[in-house]
């Protein structure tokens, strides 16, 4: 199953990206090659307009919206602009983008030659009588294959993110695996394990009740519920390692592993600290109001996951995966 | 009552780690375990486990990254919106529900954005934050946990995990509608 989900994510992603790019091209979403007309108030008055000068490009929301065929702009647009006047008369402009720049332009810059500005060429420039402003007709550089560029960037970025995450785990993993080893040698895990045997016996019937895996799983679930995600992951991985020692078939998930994972992905947590923090920072009158609802939601997820795991593990196609290999057959996940 | 519970849990999560450390190591000394040597012995595995996860995590995160960047989520939202309207789930929160199992940072971003637009105490704001707290990043957990023991055939883990996510999201909609419903 994971094989299909994995290839679907990639294939759907690439197909949708292609579709979006074709649509943008057909509709000319970014108005490639279409001149945009705007008034520029000259800020740094140049000694002569034959050099480069800076100004403030002003466009009414209506003019901007009707040019791009959108409704995004709510107020008048002010965008810094630098006009480079070349001796030959071929003037160019560059629009350095900041937080006040229109969203569409910021989005377009992701596929532009420069990530933080848009460049373009000047078709015509008419100076106002008072020399304080000019009427410009500019064509912004063509923006193409926006989504394809984004997909490429994402694939590369996420590949290195994965390594960063994994390497970031090393220290914290070492700490908790060390502590767990001490607890194991001292027999502390066995005590924890014995206390919860009535529960774990039912949840994980395939695991011997005094196996170290049970202790590690209990510790992981407890750490998760307290929101100690730093400690939870190493403990969970320790549990997986112990469960794998009972695995009759290397490289295949056992029933206990899947049940354990479902408890983990249910994400039962007593205080959803991240959500509360975001609520508080966005000015909620009662950030903690979601504690109860989150516990309910996560409870639903956990129970549904465990029940689903128990039902699915009985299906012939999943049972067959665990049988020792008799003949060479293609495994599907 | 709710505040007391919150204060209690907060206190527990602050003292939990120091307490666990001293409890575990102290008990070890009591039982005549050579704590330092045993700790180092166990800690050695940290490096290999972390490194072992890398290929699984790269495979999973790249696929998710491509999916996110392509704009497929918007498309999926448009397709599924009529169905979620039937159960009283605002279509604004649909990207949240779809992103939650895929990416922790992605769903955090969507939640923050929804609260900025609709306000944290609006129905959408409450529902989005409940959804965030109602599930874990299933595919990340799957990649890390199975990766650490080199499991390639995950059997029924993906369907079971997705069923858990589905019920988590439905549970969030259900309880929020009852308590804060419009």
């Amino acid at each position: 199953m994971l094989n299909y989900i994995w290839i679907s994510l990639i294939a759907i992603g690439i197909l949708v990206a292609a579709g979006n790019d074709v649509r943008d091209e057909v509709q000319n979403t970014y108005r490639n090659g279409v001149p945009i007309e705007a008034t520029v108030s000259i800020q740094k008055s140049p000694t002569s307009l034959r050099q480069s000068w800076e100004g403030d490009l002003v466009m009414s929301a209506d003019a901007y919206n009707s040019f791009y065929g959108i409704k995004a702009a709510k107020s008048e647009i002010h965008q810094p602009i630098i006009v480079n006047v070349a001796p030959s008369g071929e003037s160019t402009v560059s629009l350095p983008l900041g937080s006040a720049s229109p969203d569409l332009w910021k989005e377009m810059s992701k596929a532009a030659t420069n990530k933080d500005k848009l460049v373009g060429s000047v078709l015509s420039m008419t100076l106002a009588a008072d020399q304080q402003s000019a009427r410009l007709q500019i064509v912004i550089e063509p923006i193409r294959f926006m989504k394809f560029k984004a997909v490429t960037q994402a694939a590369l970025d996420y590949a290195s993110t994965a390594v960063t995450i994994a390497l970031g785990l090393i220290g914290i993993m070492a700490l908790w695996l060390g502590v767990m080893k001490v607890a194991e040698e001292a027999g502390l895990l066995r005590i924890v394990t014995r206390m919860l045997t009535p529960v774990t016996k039912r949840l994980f019937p395939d695991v011997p009740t005094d196996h170290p895996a049970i202790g590690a799983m209990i510790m992981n679930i407890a750490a998760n519920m307290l929101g100690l995600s730093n400690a939870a992951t190493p403990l969970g991985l320790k549990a997986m390692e112990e469960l794998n020692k009972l695995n009759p078939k290397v490289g295949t998930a056992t029933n206990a592993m899947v049940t354990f994972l479902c408890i983990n992905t249910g994400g039962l947590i007593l205080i959803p600290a991240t959500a509360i923090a975001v609520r508080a920072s966005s000015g909620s009158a009662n950030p903690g109001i979601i504690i109860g609802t989150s516990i309910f939601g996560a409870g639903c997820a956990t129970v549904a996951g465990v029940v689903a795991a128990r039902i699915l593990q009985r299906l012939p196609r999943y049972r067959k995966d665990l049988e020792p290999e008799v003949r060479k057959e293609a495994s599907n996940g | 009552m709710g505040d007391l519970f919150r204060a209690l849990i907060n206190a527990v999560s602050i003292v939990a780690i120091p307490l666990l450390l001293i409890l575990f190591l102290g008990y070890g000394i009591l039982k005549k375990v050579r704590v330092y040597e045993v700790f180092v012995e166990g800690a050695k595995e940290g490096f290999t486990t972390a490194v072992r996860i890398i290929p699984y995590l790269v495979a999973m995160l790249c696929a998710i990254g491509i999916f996110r960047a392509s704009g497929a989520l918007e498309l999926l939202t448009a397709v599924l919106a009529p169905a979620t309207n039937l159960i009283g789930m605002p279509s604004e929160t649909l990207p949240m529900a779809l992103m939650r199992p895929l990416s922790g940072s992605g769903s955090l971003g969507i939640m923050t954005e929804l609260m900025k637009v609709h306000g944290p105490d609006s129905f959408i704001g409450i529902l989005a934050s409940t959804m965030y707290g109602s599930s874990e990043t299933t595919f990340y957990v799957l990649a890390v946990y199975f990766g650490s023991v080199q499991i390639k055939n995950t059997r029924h883990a993906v369907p079971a995990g997705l069923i858990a996510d589905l019920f988590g999201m439905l549970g969030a909609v259900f309880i929020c509608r009852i308590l804060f419903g419009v």
Side-chain angles (χ1 to χ4, degrees), chain A residues 6 13 20 155 158 174 178 181 188 191 219-220 241 251-253 255 261 265 271 279 284-285 291 293 301 313 318, chain B residues 6 9 24 27 38-39 43 45 50 59 61-62 68 70 120-121 129-130 134 136 142 145 151-153 155-156 164:
Chain A
W6 191 68
N20 277 333
Y158 275 68
K181 187 92 179 169
L188 198 60
I191 297 176
M219 301 279 300
N220 162 268
E241 195 195 312
T252 302
N255 292 341
L261 240 81
T265 60
I271 295 279
R279 288 176 58 75
S284 167
I291 293 178
T293 53
Q313 74 191 23
Y318 293 125
Chain B
R6 202 173 140 209
I9 300 288
F24 278 30
Y27 190 79
V38 172
F39 178 95
E45 290 168 33
L61 291 192
C62 276
R68 271 182 67 182
S70 69
D121 295 322
S129 37
T130 299
S134 292
E136 255 295 327
L142 225 65
Y145 280 37
I151 298 282
K152 291 172 205 84
N153 183 352
R155 287 177 68 227
H156 52 305

Side-chain angles (χ1 to χ4, degrees), chain A residues 1-2 5-6 9-10 12-14 16-17 20 147 150-151 154-155 158-159 162-163 165-166 169-170 173-179 181-183 185-186 188 191 219-220 226 228 232-233 236-237 240-241 244 247 251-255 257-258 260-262 264-267 270-271 274-276 278-279 282-285 289-291 293-294 296-298 300-301 304-305 308-309 312-313 318 321-322 332-333, chain B residues 5-6 9-10 12-13 16-17 20-21 24-25 27-28 31 33 35 38-39 41-43 45-47 49-50 53-54 57-72 75 102 108 111-112 115 120-121 125-126 129-130 132-136 138-142 144-146 148-165 167-168 171-172 174-176 179-180:
Chain A
M1 177 109 175
L2 193 55
I5 299 248
W6 191 68
L9 282 174
I10 297 177
I12 292 174
I14 291 177
V16 172
N20 277 333
K147 292 292 182 191
V151 160
Y158 275 68
V163 177
I165 292 176
L169 276 175
I170 293 177
M173 286 280 300
L175 171 65
W176 284 104
L177 291 179
V179 172
K181 187 92 179 169
V182 174
E185 296 252 318
L188 198 60
I191 297 176
M219 301 279 300
N220 162 268
L226 288 174
L228 309 172
T233 307
L237 298 188
M240 288 301 279
E241 195 195 312
N244 205 33
N247 193 347
T252 302
T254 62
N255 292 341
M257 284 180 183
V258 176
F260 175 56
L261 240 81
C262 281
N264 254 283
T265 60
L270 297 176
I271 295 279
T274 316
I276 292 177
V278 173
R279 288 176 58 75
S282 29
S284 167
I289 202 169
I290 57 144
I291 293 178
T293 53
S294 290
F296 180 86
C300 287
L312 288 171
Q313 74 191 23
Y318 293 125
D321 283 339
L322 260 191
N332 53 359
Chain B
F5 173 74
R6 202 173 140 209
I9 300 288
N10 274 338
V12 169
S13 48
I17 287 181
L20 273 181
L21 284 179
F24 278 30
L25 300 179
Y27 190 79
K31 287 279 164 183
V33 176
V35 280
V38 172
F39 178 95
E41 195 57 42
E45 290 168 33
F47 184 78
T49 311
I53 301 169
I54 291 178
L57 214 49
V58 169
M60 189 60 84
L61 291 192
C62 276
I64 290 169
I66 289 173
F67 185 82
R68 271 182 67 182
S70 69
L75 199 72
L102 291 176
L108 185 64
M111 173 175 74
T112 315
M115 283 195 215
D121 295 322
I126 291 177
S129 37
T130 299
Y132 186 84
S134 292
S135 180
E136 255 295 327
T138 302
F139 284 94
Y140 170 79
V141 174
L142 225 65
V144 170
Y145 280 37
F146 279 143
S148 72
V149 285
Q150 318 269 294
I151 298 282
K152 291 172 205 84
N153 183 352
T154 58
R155 287 177 68 227
H156 52 305
V158 175
L162 289 179
I163 288 171
D165 289 329
F167 276 84
F174 173 77
I175 192 79
C176 285
L179 295 181
F180 311 103

Side-chain angles (χ1 to χ4, degrees), chain A:
Chain A
M1 177 109 175
L2 193 55
N3 281 327
Y4 300 119
I5 299 248
W6 191 68
I7 189 67
S8 307
L9 282 174
I10 297 177
I12 292 174
I14 291 177
L15 287 177
V16 172
N20 277 333
D21 281 344
V22 168
R23 189 204 56 202
D24 285 347
E25 196 62 35
V26 171
Q27 296 180 345
N28 203 2
T29 311
Y30 307 113
R31 301 293 182 261
N32 292 336
V34 183
I36 188 168
E37 235 186 290
T39 308
V40 176
S41 63
I42 300 166
Q43 276 165 347
K44 261 186 208 146
S45 53
T47 45
S48 101
L49 287 180
R50 271 184 221 104
Q51 306 165 345
S52 70
W53 51 275
E54 287 172 34
D56 181 28
L57 184 145
V58 184
M59 235 182 139
S60 73
D62 281 344
Y64 177 84
N65 284 345
S66 72
F67 180 74
Y68 283 110
I70 51 175
K71 296 186 192 74
K74 300 273 186 285
S75 55
E76 202 174 52
I77 283 161
H78 288 270
Q79 164 66 43
I81 183 170
I82 302 164
V83 180
N84 296 304
V85 184
S88 59
E90 280 270 311
S91 309
T92 60
V93 289
S94 86
L95 310 168
L97 299 168
S99 51
S101 302
D103 288 338
L104 185 67
W105 283 356
K106 278 189 270 186
E107 208 185 306
M108 283 161 68
S109 73
K110 287 181 195 154
T113 27
N114 276 303
K115 291 273 173 279
D116 49 356
K117 65 179 178 190
L118 287 170
V119 297
S121 52
V122 179
L123 287 191
S124 74
M125 178 159 67
T126 329
L127 205 61
D130 60 0
Q131 305 256 323
Q132 292 304 306
S133 68
R135 191 81 188 151
L136 283 186
Q137 258 197 330
I138 54 178
V139 176
I140 295 177
E141 61 178 314
I143 303 293
R144 290 207 163 85
F145 303 117
M146 179 89 125
K147 292 292 182 191
F148 253 61
K149 284 176 185 168
V151 160
T152 309
Q153 195 58 41
L156 301 177
D157 283 351
Y158 275 68
S160 50
T161 306
V163 177
T164 315
I165 292 176
L167 292 185
L169 276 175
I170 293 177
I172 200 82
M173 286 280 300
L175 171 65
W176 284 104
L177 291 179
V179 172
M180 284 296 282
K181 187 92 179 169
V182 174
E184 203 184 322
E185 296 252 318
L188 198 60
L189 272 191
R190 220 169 297 131
I191 297 176
V192 179
T193 306
R194 226 172 273 149
M195 285 191 319
L196 285 169
T197 298
V199 184
T200 54
K201 204 167 59 186
R202 290 202 176 76
L203 272 178
F204 308 103
D206 309 337
V207 184
T209 48
D210 57 347
H211 196 271
I214 300 277
M217 287 194 285
I218 292 170
M219 301 279 300
N220 162 268
I221 294 165
N224 263 327
M225 287 175 71
L226 288 174
L228 309 172
S229 47
N230 275 338
T233 307
L235 294 170
L237 298 188
K238 173 82 181 162
M240 288 301 279
E241 195 195 312
E242 293 293 341
L243 286 175
N244 205 33
K245 287 181 187 160
L246 300 167
N247 193 347
K249 197 170 168 189
V250 176
T252 302
T254 62
N255 292 341
M257 284 180 183
V258 176
T259 307
F260 175 56
L261 240 81
C262 281
I263 296 175
N264 254 283
T265 60
L268 192 53
I269 179 170
L270 297 176
I271 295 279
T274 316
I276 292 177
V278 173
R279 288 176 58 75
S281 71
S282 29
S284 167
N286 192 351
I289 202 169
I290 57 144
I291 293 178
T293 53
S294 290
I295 293 179
F296 180 86
C300 287
T302 309
V303 171
V306 171
V307 170
R310 298 299 285 272
I311 293 172
L312 288 171
Q313 74 191 23
R314 295 207 177 85
L315 294 183
R317 60 169 296 195
Y318 293 125
R319 270 218 314 247
K320 205 177 65 196
D321 283 339
L322 260 191
E323 284 164 9
E325 262 173 87
V326 199
R327 59 198 160 84
K328 202 83 185 155
E329 57 179 0
S331 68
N332 53 359

